[in-house]
Amino acid sequence: MPLPYPDPRVALATLHGKADALAPALAALGLQIETVAIDTDALGTFAGDIERPGTAHEVVIEKARRGMAASGLKLGIATEGSFGPDPLLGFLPLHTELLTFVDDIHGQTVVIEHAGHDTNWVSKALRPGDDLQPVLAAIGLPGHAALVKPNRWALPASEPLPVAKGLIDAAAVAEAVERMAARSDDGLARLEADMRAHVNPTRLAALARLGQRLAERLATPCPRCSAPGFGRIDAQLGLPCELCGEATDLVRAEIHACGVCGHRENRPRADGLSVADAGHCPECNP
Ligand SMILES: [Zn+2]
Ligand SMILES: [Zn+2]
């Protein structure tokens, strides 16, 4: 069912081909993505050559706003991904991604968050001549691209970090490892997966699922004012232990809210779980 927007065009500021991943879910709501070709690299890059100038939440909204300003549209979307080792399970790579929908017609900003291990992110320091094959296999060349930079770069901030991006050929990676190692303070090069969406089908697939969740959220009207976009904004912890009833750190209820009128509702967990396994209990399993 089409959403109540007089102009269905949504600005997406990107150089990195995210529109194909996000467009189908939004098209089902009658919304059309208009790609605005502005360079958002000034708001930070995965390669680390430009640092992000704020929190992921601030930056993703700023990206959407820049697309809207450049196009004159009243709707905008943007994404902001982060990759690194999982802070809890150090051996697994973690992908977190925010997708925002800024709506100046109703006056609201919706942010959907993804966190998962469904990523090819890997980062390894290597010496020229090292066997690159295990890392290249983890990255998924040639379907996914790699990037190479100096492992330690101690020059002043005025000198940009050199990064070879978008490499899909093993020989080109080996050559870049040699070149970047020679420019590194410790003689090592850092080989990583290139996380830019247009060279990373795994990230594109995650973006498509995020787009689907945004579409579901926008298709949910507020029960009070019927603005689109009613949904989960937070959670209440304290799911009771199955044995003793003590509050655990697990989610007890989801908090759903409207970004337009402020209406809030507490709802049970989407998975129907009403008690926590005693393994999570501070009393039964301290
Ligand atoms: Zn207990
Ligand atoms: Zn409302």
Side-chain angles (χ1 to χ4, degrees):
M1 192 185 71
L3 289 178
Y5 290 109
D7 179 349
R9 291 174 300 162
V10 185
L12 170 66
T14 182
L15 286 180
H16 299 155
K18 296 170 183 170
D20 292 347
L22 297 169
L26 294 180
L29 302 175
L31 297 172
Q32 302 160 13
I33 290 186
E34 287 224 340
T35 302
V36 187
I38 57 173
D39 190 353
T40 56
D41 278 358
L43 296 172
T45 63
F46 298 122
D49 41 347
I50 302 168
E51 281 195 42
R52 189 162 66 196
T55 66
H57 203 269
E58 289 163 354
V59 163
V60 74
I61 293 169
E62 174 63 21
K63 274 187 190 172
R65 289 245 164 248
R66 288 193 184 186
M68 293 160 75
S71 62
L73 298 177
K74 291 198 177 306
L75 303 174
I77 60 172
T79 74
E80 177 69 12
S82 311
F83 302 88
D86 187 316
L88 299 176
L89 311 162
F91 54 93
L92 275 180
L94 179 67
H95 171 200
T96 57
E97 187 109 34
L98 300 179
L99 172 61
T100 191
F101 180 80
V102 178
D103 171 0
D104 276 354
I105 296 169
H106 297 89
Q108 69 169 332
T109 299
V110 172
V111 179
I112 309 270
E113 189 175 353
H114 163 82
H117 300 114
D118 54 341
T119 176
N120 69 326
W121 183 84
V122 61
S123 173
K124 202 157 167 62
L126 294 161
R127 216 170 285 287
D130 280 356
D131 181 12
L132 304 178
Q133 205 42 51
V135 187
L136 297 185
I139 292 171
L141 250 67
H144 293 69
L147 69 81
V148 183
K149 57 190 177 182
N151 186 50
R152 196 171 299 154
W153 185 246
L155 283 185
S158 57
E159 183 98 4
L161 174 74
V163 184
K165 301 180 188 180
L167 307 173
I168 53 166
D169 177 79
V173 173
E175 184 275 324
V177 165
E178 204 157 304
R179 190 156 41 93
M180 296 303 175
R183 302 187 67 181
S184 179
D185 280 356
D186 58 4
L188 301 177
R190 184 155 287 275
L191 170 58
E192 293 184 349
D194 191 332
M195 303 317 296
R196 292 172 301 157
H198 65 301
V199 291
N200 196 310
T202 300
R203 180 160 177 241
L204 277 180
L207 286 172
R209 291 193 296 275
L210 209 48
Q212 191 60 47
R213 285 175 50 208
L214 174 65
E216 285 163 15
R217 170 85 169 255
L218 293 178
T220 308
C222 169
R224 188 158 84 188
C225 77
S226 59
F230 190 76
R232 177 179 167 153
I233 56 148
D234 206 349
Q236 221 172 32
L237 304 184
L239 190 67
C241 168
E242 60 183 345
L243 295 181
C244 73
E246 178 73 18
T248 67
D249 283 343
L250 298 191
V251 169
R252 180 161 58 102
E254 298 180 352
I255 301 168
H256 290 233
C258 171
V260 178
C261 74
H263 176 64
R264 289 164 85 97
E265 286 179 10
N266 282 8
R267 301 205 172 168
R269 288 172 61 114
D271 62 9
L273 202 61
S274 60
V275 290
D277 188 279
H280 294 284
C281 177
E283 294 295 322
C284 303
N285 186 26

